Amino acid sequence: MSPRTTTIAKAVNEGLRRAMEDDPKVLVMGEDVGRLGGVFRVTDGLQKDFGEDRVIDTPLAESGIIGTAIGLALRGYRPVCEIQFDGFIYPAYDQIVSQLAKMGYRSGGKLSLPVVVRVPYGGGIGAVEHHSESPEAYFAHTAGLRVVTCSNPADAYFMTQQAIRSDDPVMVFEPKRRYWDKGELDPAAEPLPLHAARVARPGTDVTVAAYGPMVRTVLEAATAAGAEGRSLEVVDLRSLSPLDLDTLVASVERTRRLVVVHEAPTFLGLGAEIAARVTERCFYHLEAPVLRVGGFHLPYPASRLEEEYLPDLDRVLDAVDRALAF
Amino acid sequence: MTVPVVGGPGGRPPQPPLVQLLTPEGERVEHPDYSIDVTPDELRAFYRDLVLVRRVDAEATALQRQGELGLWASLLGQEAAQVGSARALAPQDYVFPTYREHGVAWCRDVDPVTLLGLYRGVNLGGWDPAEHNFHLYTIVIGSQTLHATGYAMGVQRDGAVGTGDPARDTAVIAYFGDGATSQGDVNEAFVFASVNNAPVVFFCQNNQWAISEPNERQTRVPLYQRAAGFGFPGLRVDGNDVLAVHAVTKAALDRARRGEGPTFVEAFTYRMGAHTTSDDPTRYRIEAEVEEWKLKDPIARVKALLARTGQAGEEFFAEVEVEADRLAEHVRSACLAMPDPEPVSMFDHAYRDPHPLVDEERAWFEEYHAGFEPAAAAGEVQR
Ligand SMILES: Cc1ncc(C[n+]2csc(CCOP(=O)(O)OP(=O)(O)O)c2C)c(N)n1
Ligand SMILES: [Mg+2]
């Protein structure tokens, strides 16, 4: 396959397709993933090509999806579950947190649960409630789960396959408002490790760390800042559990300032954990406290307010200014 | 090996009988267990409700197409299931809807404009539930069935069942779809309602589809038969027959009010439109199926009965059309006039009592936005 320009949604589709071709034990399951190809068309064509045994339109029950995926995994399958929208993962929370995350540990390593849970997440699409949430911290907080998120088609393609190959359960958060963003994908390229962060844009004055949907926002902020003579280094975290702190710390040691950006509320979010750990490791390098830009301590608001709720270029630059002013 | 799957949209298993009082052709038929005496006034009132809610729905769909709503979930085809059941409610009864119950809302005197707020994105549900005994829409599939059951348990504890006083005895009705019956919450609601003998009616609009998934992906038995396993009665009614739905729901509500416990009503109907305005049903269902259901239209049969029996003439039908036009115009102009909320209002109501973190974030937000204003006034872009 040759290098090409594609979208995140199509890249996930190709990643799933490749994984299904490589391993007959890989299954895709979820609500409307078969005949319809998913509400975002991410699984488009898979049922047609791999059949109803391998691409399963499940009953409308998220706990059922994850619970039966666990059973299938115990029987040697590698299920890839789609949760239709972020806000509908909670009926499955018990199966994910109490069963999926812990079963390997409880078995003393005798059982492995190679289940992937794909979650389109985040806001910015003008949707009704429960369709715009960022629940990743709940899962990063849960030992036993790996949590990753892509920000571009290449990562979407490779992460999907790496997650499926992992013998641990992996939660893959897909930035739904970026599903149609285009980018380069070279299927023959050597992918980054699943849990590596990546410097998405080098800079010297402030490190801005983000993931998923906010990477593009932060890159745009970096361009705007560049035009005003400030050089931002953008780190795409990619993996939320484990965190690749080494890449981040190396960056912060150069720039001496860190702003962490995510859509999820800042209170007890990924930014809080990152701030604590980076401060611990970079205390004598830091010229300013680690600042966070994120959602407020509110339920996700009605969509006509979401532009005010969500971090945007201006809020990122405001935090950059504050970091530089210290 | 291929795992066998029953049925499929093309080859569905034969369907069990359903309660019907008005055939698709508009013939009144009798049923041994359910009868209904409808006066000409009542029949005309049903017709009016059906036409008006269909018209509101069409207007909302049009508003969505024009970008005035973010989304709309159409009730097209389900008018009789909603109007027939909701008109059986007493004022003190309480309703727990999904996101599609616009016809029920109408019968609970919720101004249709109010329904649009959620779909326009200016609020998360704009009406006062207590004012209408009509709860907020619930989008998370199935959750509200448990809320309805709990509410009914409260009704029981208040002694508001089985008194014989029609103004006091209270029933609760939970609306949900065929897809929802697969959710754990819904099955738990059945268990809680059953063991508590709660005064709740589980009203399932089986519109045959859960987005792209046909009934066969949720069940191998007719849904109403599930009730037996939980220990309460269930029955299937022609969901496009407003008279049968009314009779059946009234009987179930009366039973609940008498303190005799829950009932499962499966209103067998059809989703004539897309799941929502975001959906494209041509990807998963055949047009012939839709055509077949067009012949079972819930409004045409009432109109046929009214006309044939001389209970209404052209003048009445024309009047209802005029009223529908006026209502649609009201919905349209009020929707267009609906203001966007003040940004800072998003900090309201997360808690009833003050919360320091929310207060701090609100203060930051106000200060941050104040920083933009002078520049905006001067017409320059500033951060
Ligand atoms: C817990 C949950 N999972 C998934 C969804 C996404 N979703 C919205 S409507 C729907 C189908 C519902 O089908 P049904 O219960 O038959 O109701 P209908 O829409 O046909 O009225 C799905 C899967 C949701 N809203 N909530
Ligand atoms: Mg349905």
Side-chain angles (χ1 to χ4, degrees):
Chain A
M1 283 200 286
S2 51
R4 77 201 76 147
T5 304
T6 189
T7 64
I8 291 181
K10 288 214 172 86
V12 176
N13 181 283
E14 285 186 49
L16 289 169
R17 179 175 289 279
R18 175 57 77 82
M20 295 186 81
E21 283 164 0
D22 289 351
D23 182 351
K25 295 291 187 189
V26 175
L27 309 176
V28 165
M29 53 198 287
E31 295 156 9
D32 306 289
V33 298
R35 189 188 295 238
L36 180 64
V39 295
F40 295 105
R41 310 293 184 258
V42 168
T43 55
D44 192 24
L46 296 180
Q47 190 181 68
K48 193 168 129 281
D49 295 343
F50 295 97
E52 292 186 14
D53 275 4
R54 294 189 65 194
V55 181
I56 306 167
D57 269 330
T58 66
L60 205 178
E62 288 75 11
S63 181
I65 293 169
I66 304 300
T68 56
I70 290 170
L72 283 157
L74 292 173
R75 185 69 191 180
Y77 288 88
R78 302 182 93 84
V80 184
C81 304
E82 175 176 297
I83 298 294
Q84 200 163 79
F85 284 89
D86 36 60
F88 306 138
I89 199 164
Y90 307 110
Y93 196 65
D94 173 60
Q95 285 290 348
I96 295 173
V97 171
S98 297
Q99 302 301 332
L100 186 60
K102 297 186 171 74
M103 211 173 271
Y105 186 70
R106 287 168 53 223
S107 74
K110 291 191 249 332
L111 300 175
S112 79
L113 278 298
V115 174
V116 172
V117 184
R118 296 181 35 246
V119 190
Y121 81 121
I125 62 164
V128 294
E129 56 183 344
H130 312 296
H131 292 73
S132 303
E133 302 187 2
S134 297
E136 63 275 13
Y138 298 127
F139 302 97
H141 190 65
T142 300
L145 302 175
R146 298 177 179 274
V147 183
V148 298
T149 178
C150 52
S151 68
N152 59 71
D155 280 356
Y157 176 74
F158 290 115
M159 272 185 177
T160 300
Q161 295 173 73
Q162 291 166 321
I164 293 169
R165 278 199 298 275
S166 169
D167 285 331
D168 288 320
V170 184
M171 311 277 304
V172 182
F173 284 90
E174 299 172 0
K176 72 167 88 79
R177 73 157 127 161
R178 308 296 189 208
Y179 264 147
W180 302 279
D181 279 13
K182 290 209 169 102
E184 292 309 305
L185 167 61
D186 178 1
E190 183 61 34
L192 282 176
L194 182 58
H195 296 297
R198 173 179 72 98
V199 175
R201 174 186 168 122
T204 53
D205 299 340
V206 180
T207 298
V208 184
Y211 56 85
M214 280 291 112
V215 172
R216 183 173 127 187
T217 305
V218 166
L219 285 170
E220 286 165 4
T223 303
E228 293 173 4
R230 275 160 308 158
S231 164
L232 308 189
E233 175 147 305
V234 177
V235 175
D236 179 353
L237 291 167
R238 298 178 77 254
S239 176
L240 307 182
S241 178
L243 281 168
D244 175 8
L245 280 175
D246 290 347
T247 298
L248 194 55
V249 163
S251 172
V252 174
E253 283 177 355
R254 287 193 297 273
T255 63
R256 300 174 161 260
R257 289 176 170 85
L258 174 62
V259 173
V260 188
V261 183
H262 49 60
E263 286 189 18
T266 51
F267 188 69
L268 291 174
L270 261 295
E273 183 63 29
I274 290 165
R277 290 189 185 262
V278 168
T279 304
E280 210 172 309
R281 285 183 50 180
C282 303
F283 191 66
Y284 292 106
H285 286 92
L286 285 170
E287 299 281 356
V290 178
L291 298 181
R292 289 168 293 161
V293 181
F296 301 111
H297 189 65
L298 301 173
Y300 197 88
S303 64
R304 296 241 173 173
L305 293 171
E306 72 181 343
E307 276 182 32
E308 308 285 348
Y309 172 87
L310 289 170
D312 60 3
L313 186 146
D314 288 315
R315 289 238 297 263
V316 172
L317 292 180
D318 173 74
V320 165
D321 288 348
R322 283 185 283 131
L324 282 167
F326 263 92
Chain B
M1 193 211 72
T2 296
V3 182
V5 173
V6 265
R12 296 191 155 170
Q15 296 294 343
L18 35 63
V19 179
Q20 191 177 66
L21 299 175
L22 180 62
T23 70
E25 295 72 35
E27 298 293 337
R28 278 283 277 118
V29 287
E30 294 304 320
H31 188 278
D33 303 326
Y34 298 95
S35 61
I36 188 168
D37 261 336
V38 260
T39 65
D41 275 348
E42 284 165 344
L43 195 59
R44 285 192 295 266
F46 277 133
Y47 177 81
R48 174 177 169 270
D49 283 339
L50 294 170
V51 170
L52 296 187
V53 301
R54 178 172 290 185
R55 188 53 187 274
V56 167
D57 187 74
E59 197 61 30
T61 299
L63 284 163
Q64 194 283 335
R65 294 273 177 256
Q66 291 152 16
E68 295 296 334
L69 301 180
L71 183 83
W72 183 248
S74 168
L75 61 42
L76 190 64
Q78 301 177 219
E79 296 88 351
Q82 297 194 11
V83 167
S85 57
R87 285 296 179 209
L89 293 163
Q92 71 273 20
D93 293 343
Y94 207 97
V95 179
F96 287 85
T98 73
Y99 40 82
R100 208 187 286 287
E101 265 65 82
H102 322 311
V104 181
W106 167 256
C107 298
R108 297 306 274 181
D109 293 330
V110 178
D111 184 334
V113 173
T114 322
L115 303 175
L116 303 189
L118 170 75
Y119 289 103
R120 188 168 163 90
V122 301
N123 59 45
L124 302 173
W127 59 94
D128 177 358
E131 192 186 327
H132 302 277
N133 280 10
F134 183 78
H135 190 63
L136 298 180
Y137 277 0
T138 298
I139 289 177
V140 181
I141 299 296
S143 301
Q144 76 282 3
T145 56
L146 279 166
H147 310 155
T149 302
Y151 192 97
M153 289 162 62
V155 167
Q156 255 177 333
R157 278 153 186 74
D158 290 345
V161 286
T163 69
D165 176 357
R168 176 162 168 76
D169 287 343
T170 300
V172 181
I173 188 164
Y175 287 88
F176 55 102
D178 44 288
T181 60
S182 295
Q183 280 287 12
D185 275 11
V186 175
N187 288 273
E188 291 172 26
F190 294 164
V191 172
F192 275 69
S194 177
V195 300
N196 287 289
N197 210 37
V200 57
V201 174
F202 294 109
F203 193 93
C204 177
Q205 286 170 83
N206 180 355
N207 65 7
Q208 325 259 338
W209 293 92
I211 309 187
S212 72
E213 299 197 15
N215 273 188
E216 289 74 13
R217 302 258 39 99
Q218 317 289 345
T219 186
R220 282 187 177 225
V221 297
L223 290 170
Y224 76 92
Q225 288 179 7
R226 296 229 180 128
F230 289 95
F232 52 88
L235 64 116
R236 181 180 276 190
V237 60
D238 180 348
N240 287 13
D241 172 353
V242 71
L243 301 183
V245 171
H246 188 75
V248 158
T249 310
K250 184 161 184 317
L253 290 166
D254 284 344
R255 194 179 113 83
R257 293 191 196 102
R258 285 195 304 271
E260 292 168 21
T263 305
F264 184 120
V265 177
E266 178 188 358
F268 199 68
T269 179
Y270 194 80
R271 198 194 77 208
M272 295 300 289
H275 169 68
T276 64
T277 46
S278 303
D279 177 42
D280 172 12
T282 63
R283 291 179 64 100
Y284 55 79
R285 73 178 185 189
I286 49 169
E287 188 54 28
E289 195 180 278
V290 182
E291 289 303 318
E292 196 188 309
W293 276 89
K294 273 189 190 154
L295 304 174
K296 303 180 192 166
D297 183 69
I299 302 185
R301 64 178 81 181
V302 180
K303 189 172 187 181
L305 177 66
L306 280 168
R308 191 171 35 76
T309 54
Q311 296 182 71
E314 279 316 314
E315 197 181 328
F316 168 75
F317 296 129
E319 264 167 37
V320 175
E321 285 313 310
V322 170
E323 189 181 0
D325 287 344
R326 273 207 307 271
L327 180 62
E329 177 45 40
H330 159 69
V331 167
R332 164 164 297 271
S333 53
C335 176
L336 299 183
M338 212 180 266
D340 279 354
E342 279 301 317
V344 73
S345 71
M346 75 176 142
F347 291 93
D348 299 341
H349 309 304
Y351 296 90
R352 290 192 87 93
D353 292 331
H355 186 288
L357 176 56
V358 175
D359 293 345
E360 183 191 319
E361 290 185 347
R362 183 206 314 262
W364 179 88
F365 184 83
E366 283 178 321
E367 199 187 310
Y368 174 75
H369 277 271
F372 283 88
E373 272 150 25
E380 45 177 288
V381 183
Q382 184 213 306
R383 273 203 333 273

